[in-house]
């Protein structure tokens, strides 16, 4: 994971993406210069508060931006193997929504939403919904499609697939429905699977099972996965890379260990510190004060400045660039400028990071011993 | 935190509570199938368990949105289990309140926030003048971190975290003894969750409120609860102090539930495989179990055999 990623394995490259929405109150600048890369077989997680632009970003990749949305600038280059077996790169922002839907959705890029009911058709059997895409995109017989659908249902951990194949969504429990949605998403062997809060509505036991299923299928088919979730435990479990979003920008990114064990942006500090801890018995949770900015107004400087106790004077004047802090770790905070004063991490977070590192060393040691 | 007096009479005593739903002539869902627990004044009792295990039904049964199928509910000395007398009904409505998961669903979009919050006061005529009523509304808005000006706005003009504060204000203006919070923070961001949880704690210290905290996010439940009940398929399979449940879980369901919580520690998390539990495979029948006491506060639902098997099992976490 920490090795260099090979350029030839890049499936998605987003550059300088800017998206706005026209609303009754004016223009909302929802995405403000997003840059993101996705490589074959890897998992990236996008985290950030509600309204930070996670869903809009991935919906744009899928070509399902809302009608009042507008791509102001930027490109989304998607590289795939076309019908002739050649590698081809297209800029998704130049295609019509119809074209994206017809050529790519389901077949190349598939998405799982938070609420399975929004992506399932209540009037169609499970079987029909899984085979529909296969029959549309591939030249296969109904029997062949059914065989593959049953196999998929089994793979996502649904017992008695023959029976479920003939049932309707309302006859299944919430966890089962979400597994069906995942089966549908995987039916056409996509290169990219996008999961927007796939397990938020589920309880932890079912969540754990679904995450395992996705991981297993991802490995088998070399799929790249984008995960959106606000559960940092889930991120730790599944992600190779993390992008932290705030007010329409990515403010910190890197491989998971860089971001989780050595966070540099005060907003990331806040996110990590506001989770209840497993060890410390401090009586108060750290809470980031205030609320995210209103994107109707133009943002001057660092959007996080008004909530940031470590804000510098320059934070209110100029937007920080992405600083390279080593490895694959990039941070958009003036605190990373060599001229910035040195600031100490909040005490609570410092302790937590120390205990996290200790725990991870212990786990690694136990692993080595178990192997030996 | 305030000290809890566990030798006093509990604020809420629940015994053998059953809540069945008749779906058709020959099919009944046993959503809650005979649970017993106590909650003492000033404490937070967490109720956890998988989706459909009966947590919300328990809460709704207690606040008497349903007519319980069987069992006894004693709330601050009042028997609120059978048909409610006018006095008991009044006592219940004033002293037990509920906060819901989706604040929008229970906040009337056509009413101003001030009206929504004052609703309980209006119904029970808990003021002698308009001024007194408004003063009460402003005071509670202030307590939950909103301002007087917010009273004249509509719910849709607030963020998720602020709406949840409105829901809390509406429940707390009655100065209830018990608040049932059903997934009250589940829909919120981590950072906003922290704000709301801190608020609930502060109000508990200040006003001596008791909470029944229902959630499927175990890390938050662990953080906020003094004691925890673990529900599975309509039964409380294990109950104990938060410490007992997390450091010495006995029931295999509790153990699988705890091991399924992902820890925000990437290296540890990627090396770990959760324990699984299959009731059928293990041949566990909850209706045959009885409560076995491990300590004064810690008990587990099991048959004699199961109990011995489970407590002799080695626990890896
Ligand atoms: N159709 C729309 N019209 C106007 N504004 C929109 C529209 N869709 C999204 N937005 C705005 O764009 C911003 C980003 O929204 P987005 O849905 O991407 O957030 P998110 O990070 O996915 O949040 P959540 O965690 O709540 O799902 C928000 O400010 C939102 O209000
Ligand atoms: N009014 C009702 N009529 C019929 N069945 C019901 C009713 N309310 C709940 N149930 C059933 O009772 C069981 C328990 O539901 P309940 O909502 O209490 O679960 P829960 O533990 O709160 O789950 P979740 O975590 O998903 O909220 C479920 O099988 C549910 O379908
Ligand atoms: Mg979203
Ligand atoms: Mg519920």
């Amino acid at each position: 994971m920490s090795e260099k990623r090979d350029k030839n394995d890049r499936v998605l490259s987003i550059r300088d993406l800017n998206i706005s929405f026209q609303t009754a109150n004016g223009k909302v600048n929802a995405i403000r210069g997003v840059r993101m890369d996705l490589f074959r077989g890897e998992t990236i997680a996008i985290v950030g508060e509600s309204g930070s632009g996670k869903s809009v970003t991935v919906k744009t990749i899928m070509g399902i931006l809302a009608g009042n949305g507008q791509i102001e600038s930027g490109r989304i280059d998607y590289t795939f193997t076309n019908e002739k077996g050649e590698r081809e790169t297209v800029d998704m922002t130049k295609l019509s929504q119809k074209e994206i839907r017809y050529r790519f959705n389901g077949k190349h890029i598939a998405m799982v939403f938070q609420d399975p009911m929004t992506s399932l058709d209540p009037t169609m059997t499970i079987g029909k919904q899984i085979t529909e895409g296969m029959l549309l995109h591939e030249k296969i017989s109904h029997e062949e499609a059914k065989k593959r659908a049953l196999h998929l249902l089994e793979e996502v951990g649904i017992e008695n697939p023959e029976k479920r194949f003939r049932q309707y969504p309302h006859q299944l429990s919430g966890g089962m429905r979400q597994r069906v949605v995942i089966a549908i998403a995987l039916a056409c062997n996509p290169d990219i699977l996008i999961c927007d809060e796939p397990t938020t509505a589920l309880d932890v036991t079912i969540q754990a099972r679904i995450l395992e299923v996705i991981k297993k299928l991802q490995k088998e088919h070399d799929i790249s996965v984008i995960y959106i979730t606000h559960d940092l435990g889930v991120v730790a479990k599944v992600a190779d890379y993390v992008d932290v979003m705030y007010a329409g920008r990515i403010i910190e990114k890197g491989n998971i260990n860089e971001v989780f064990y050595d966070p540099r942006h005060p907003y990331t500090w806040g996110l990590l510190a506001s989770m209840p801890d497993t060890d410390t018995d401090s009586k108060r949770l750290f809470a980031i004060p205030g609320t995210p900015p209103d994107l109707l107004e133009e943002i001057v400087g660092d959007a996080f400045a008004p909530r940031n106790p470590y804000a510098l004077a320059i934070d209110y004047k100029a937007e920080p660039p992405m600083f390279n802090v080593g490895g694959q770790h990039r941070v958009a905070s003036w605190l990373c400028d060599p001229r910035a004063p040195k600031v100490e991490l909040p005490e609570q977070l410092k302790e937590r990071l120390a205990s996290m590192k200790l725990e991870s060393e212990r786990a690694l040691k136990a692993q080595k011993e178990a192997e030996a | 935190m305030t000290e809890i007096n566990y030798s006093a009479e509990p604020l809420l005593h629940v015994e053998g509570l059953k809540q069945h739903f008749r779906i058709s002539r020959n099919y009944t869902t046993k959503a809650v199938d005979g649970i017993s627990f106590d909650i003492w004044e000033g404490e937070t009792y967490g109720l956890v368990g998988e989706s459909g295990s009966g947590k919300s039904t328990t809460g709704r049964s207690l606040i008497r949105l349903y007519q319980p199928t069987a069992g006894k509910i004693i709330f601050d000395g009042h028997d609120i289990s059978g048909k409610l007398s006018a006095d008991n009904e009044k006592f219940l409505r004033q002293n037990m309140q509920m906060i819901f998961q989706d604040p929008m669903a229970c906040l009337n979009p056509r009413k101003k926030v001030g009206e929504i919050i004052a609703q309980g006061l209006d119904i029970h005529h808990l003021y002698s003048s308009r001024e007194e009523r408004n003063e009460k509304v402003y005071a509670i808005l202030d307590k939950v971190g909103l301002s007087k000006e917010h009273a004249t706005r509509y719910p849709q003009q607030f963020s998720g975290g602020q709406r949840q504060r409105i829901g809390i204000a509406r429940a707390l203006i009655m100065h209830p003894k018990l608040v049932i919070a059903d997934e009250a923070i589940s829909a919120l961001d981590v950072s906003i969750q922290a704000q709301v949880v801190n608020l609930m704690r502060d109000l508990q210290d200040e006003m001596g409120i008791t909470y029944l905290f229902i959630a499927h996010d175990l890390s938050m439940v662990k953080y906020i609860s003094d004691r925890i009940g673990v529900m599975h398929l309509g039964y409380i399979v294990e109950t104990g102090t938060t410490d007992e449940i997390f450091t010495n879980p006995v029931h295999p369901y509790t153990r699988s539930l705890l091991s399924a919580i992902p820890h925000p520690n990437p290296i540890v998390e990627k090396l770990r495989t959760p324990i699984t539990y299959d009731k059928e495979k293990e041949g566990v029948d909850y209706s045959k179990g009885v409560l076995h006491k491990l300590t004064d506060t810690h008990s587990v639902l099991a048959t004699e055999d199961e109990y011995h098997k489970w407590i002799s099992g080695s626990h890896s976490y």
Side-chain angles (χ1 to χ4, degrees):
Chain A
M1 179 188 76
S2 47
E3 304 96 68
K4 260 219 163 73
R5 295 136 112 188
D6 182 352
K7 268 217 168 60
N8 296 319
D9 278 343
R10 185 155 63 195
V11 289
L12 202 62
S13 145
I14 303 178
R15 292 291 177 269
D16 306 316
L17 189 66
N18 282 282
I19 294 169
S20 67
F21 291 99
Q22 213 50 253
T23 71
N25 300 325
K27 204 163 93 173
V28 175
N29 297 303
I31 303 296
R32 307 181 302 125
V34 160
R35 177 196 174 102
M36 196 181 285
D37 285 304
L38 180 66
F39 287 71
R40 191 204 302 257
E42 75 184 18
T43 301
I44 64 172
I46 309 178
V47 300
E49 268 170 301
S50 188
S52 58
K54 307 180 296 290
S55 297
V56 169
T57 304
V58 296
K59 280 184 181 164
T60 311
I61 303 171
M62 293 286 288
I64 50 171
L65 199 56
N68 61 334
Q70 165 87 33
I71 300 176
E72 302 271 346
S73 63
R75 47 192 301 138
I76 300 177
D77 286 330
Y78 168 50
T79 308
F80 62 104
T81 307
N82 65 19
E83 295 80 3
K84 295 181 218 126
E86 300 155 346
R87 291 300 275 174
E88 183 182 336
T89 300
V90 292
D91 179 357
M92 305 288 269
T93 64
K94 301 289 184 302
L95 304 180
S96 71
Q97 297 206 348
K98 218 172 127 191
E99 209 170 340
I100 296 181
R101 247 178 260 176
Y102 184 72
R103 273 187 71 194
F104 298 104
N105 286 9
K107 183 167 162 51
H108 288 284
I109 307 177
M111 188 154 170
V112 176
F113 296 94
Q114 169 168 4
D115 178 6
M117 275 326 249
T118 58
S119 25
L120 291 176
D121 183 338
T123 66
M124 248 203 259
T125 62
I126 302 298
K128 188 130 195 264
Q129 300 191 51
I130 303 180
T131 53
E132 200 184 29
M134 297 181 201
L135 293 168
L136 179 74
H137 291 298
E138 296 166 54
K139 296 178 203 77
I140 56 170
S141 67
H142 279 267
E143 280 91 278
E144 176 67 15
K146 180 172 181 187
K147 219 176 96 198
R148 254 173 58 191
L150 290 177
H151 179 67
L152 264 172
L153 283 174
E154 224 175 291
E155 272 199 292
V156 297
I158 289 185
E159 285 170 32
N160 225 333
E162 279 278 0
K163 173 176 153 205
R164 300 301 180 192
F165 190 86
R166 290 188 303 269
Q167 284 186 322
Y168 290 89
H170 72 268
Q171 291 170 301
L172 275 58
S173 76
M176 252 191 249
R177 278 185 216 139
Q178 195 59 298
R179 279 183 268 176
V180 168
V181 173
I182 291 166
I184 294 172
L186 295 169
C188 295
N189 289 326
D191 310 329
I192 301 177
L193 176 67
I194 298 172
C195 301
D196 192 349
E197 305 270 6
T199 56
T200 306
L202 305 174
D203 57 80
V204 286
T205 29
I206 295 169
Q207 166 176 286
R209 238 182 287 162
I210 287 186
L211 296 181
E212 287 299 327
V213 168
I214 296 177
K215 213 188 213 165
K216 174 169 165 277
L217 295 174
Q218 172 180 24
K219 239 197 189 131
E220 284 170 14
H221 304 284
D222 216 8
I223 303 169
S224 312
V225 180
I226 301 177
Y227 252 106
I228 295 180
T229 171
H230 65 248
D231 186 333
L232 297 178
V234 171
V235 175
K237 188 182 172 87
V238 302
D240 303 313
Y241 294 89
V242 190
D243 287 331
V244 184
M245 273 191 96
Y246 187 77
R249 285 197 83 197
I250 290 171
I251 52 95
E252 177 156 9
K253 67 195 297 174
N255 76 42
I256 177 107
N257 293 348
E258 289 167 339
V259 176
F260 270 62
Y261 298 115
D262 184 21
R264 298 294 182 90
H265 197 291
Y267 177 63
T268 314
W269 297 349
L271 277 189
L272 288 169
S274 57
M275 284 178 318
D277 202 342
T278 34
D279 300 323
T280 65
D281 44 14
S282 60
K283 283 299 163 230
R284 283 186 74 78
L285 286 174
F286 175 84
I288 305 172
T291 48
D294 188 349
L295 296 173
L296 269 171
E297 268 137 53
E298 203 202 327
I299 287 173
V300 180
D302 184 340
F304 188 57
R307 302 172 73 187
N308 182 5
Y310 305 92
L312 308 169
I314 188 166
D315 277 310
Y316 294 94
K317 296 191 200 103
E319 185 149 55
M322 267 285 176
F323 289 96
N324 180 343
V325 296
Q328 291 156 309
H329 203 172
R330 306 285 178 273
V331 185
S333 163
W334 284 116
L335 288 180
C336 297
D337 188 290
R339 291 161 295 180
K342 189 113 188 68
V343 301
E344 288 285 313
L345 282 176
E347 203 51 45
Q348 215 176 343
L349 185 62
K350 221 195 237 166
E351 279 170 29
R352 177 178 300 196
L353 292 176
S355 82
M356 274 169 63
K357 278 177 206 153
L358 213 72
E359 262 178 65
S360 68
E361 277 155 26
R362 240 183 270 142
L364 283 170
K365 204 170 141 222
Q367 164 87 356
K368 274 213 190 89
E369 279 166 9
E371 275 168 9
Chain B
M1 248 194 354
T2 40
E3 275 305 311
I4 297 146
N5 180 5
Y6 285 111
S7 53
E9 281 294 308
L11 176 67
L12 183 77
H13 171 72
V14 180
E15 205 176 309
L17 180 69
K18 289 187 183 182
Q19 187 72 59
H20 295 178
F21 297 107
R22 197 156 162 194
I23 307 293
S24 67
R25 192 191 314 203
N26 42 25
Y27 189 73
T28 300
T29 299
K30 298 179 175 176
V32 174
D33 208 17
I35 61 171
S36 306
F37 63 99
D38 292 307
I39 306 182
W40 277 272
E41 190 164 354
E43 77 167 341
T44 300
Y45 187 79
L47 206 52
V48 300
E50 69 180 27
S51 183
S53 55
K55 307 181 297 293
S56 297
T57 304
T58 301
R60 294 165 146 264
S61 229
L62 294 177
I63 202 163
R64 291 300 308 271
L65 289 171
Y66 302 134
Q67 172 72 48
T69 310
K72 205 151 109 191
I73 310 168
I74 309 290
F75 176 45
D76 202 21
H78 298 66
D79 184 342
I80 55 163
S81 33
K83 187 164 169 10
L84 289 172
S85 68
D87 275 355
N88 279 349
E89 166 115 40
K90 184 161 181 244
F91 181 78
L92 174 65
R93 296 292 158 233
Q94 290 189 13
N95 290 292
M96 201 189 284
Q97 295 288 327
M98 197 151 174
I99 314 172
F100 298 90
Q101 165 164 16
D102 180 5
M104 249 347 236
C106 55
L107 300 180
N108 185 338
R110 280 180 302 276
K111 276 199 168 166
K112 291 192 179 130
V113 162
E115 301 299 313
I116 293 174
I117 292 175
Q119 203 177 5
L121 297 181
D122 292 344
I123 292 172
H124 299 284
H125 311 291
L126 297 177
Y127 46 83
S128 48
S129 68
R130 192 83 195 159
E131 285 72 50
E132 190 191 338
R133 172 186 180 272
N134 290 348
E135 277 316 311
K136 282 188 170 177
V137 171
Y138 299 152
I140 203 80
L141 276 171
D142 184 57
K143 263 214 174 98
V144 301
L146 295 171
S147 69
K148 204 167 146 174
E149 287 71 40
H150 287 127
T152 53
R153 296 203 203 155
Y154 293 91
Q156 56 277 30
Q157 296 171 309
F158 291 86
S159 73
Q162 285 174 323
R163 280 185 213 139
Q164 205 51 276
R165 287 166 188 264
I166 297 170
I168 293 173
R170 187 179 65 156
L172 295 192
I173 199 163
M174 305 293 291
H175 282 257
K177 291 178 189 289
L178 178 70
V179 170
I180 301 175
D182 188 358
E183 306 277 5
I185 54 165
S186 307
L188 305 174
D189 272 328
V190 203
S191 55
I192 310 293
Q193 277 188 357
Q195 290 179 5
V196 174
V197 163
N198 284 340
L199 172 68
M200 287 177 66
R201 278 223 154 157
D202 290 346
L203 294 170
Q204 179 166 55
D205 286 349
E206 241 171 84
M207 305 166 71
I209 304 168
T210 307
Y211 291 115
L212 173 60
F213 190 84
I214 300 173
H216 66 248
D217 177 353
L218 281 124
S219 46
M220 207 48 100
V221 172
K222 176 179 182 188
Y223 175 75
I224 199 170
S225 307
D226 299 293
R227 290 184 307 122
I228 291 175
V230 181
M231 276 194 91
H232 193 213
L233 304 173
Y235 290 87
I236 291 186
V237 296
E238 186 162 2
T239 188
T241 63
T242 301
D243 200 40
E244 285 165 339
I245 294 293
F246 275 83
T247 55
N248 185 27
V250 171
H251 198 285
Y253 177 70
T254 311
R255 300 181 57 205
S256 78
L257 191 66
L258 295 185
S259 89
I261 310 171
H263 302 289
N265 189 335
I267 293 176
V268 175
E269 195 49 40
K270 290 201 171 83
L271 291 172
R272 213 173 58 90
T273 11
I275 305 170
T276 55
Y277 165 64
D278 187 331
K279 177 170 157 285
E280 314 299 307
K281 271 188 204 142
E282 313 228 352
V284 180
D285 182 351
Y286 294 156
S287 66
K288 295 209 178 91
V290 293
L291 281 180
H292 283 77
K293 263 185 173 227
L294 286 109
T295 70
D296 274 351
T297 45
H298 190 181
S299 52
V300 60
L301 182 73
T303 62
E304 210 54 50
D305 284 351
E306 286 161 359
Y307 180 70
H308 290 293
K309 192 166 103 195
W310 295 341
I311 52 167
S312 60
S314 65
H315 295 165
S316 51
Y317 55 93

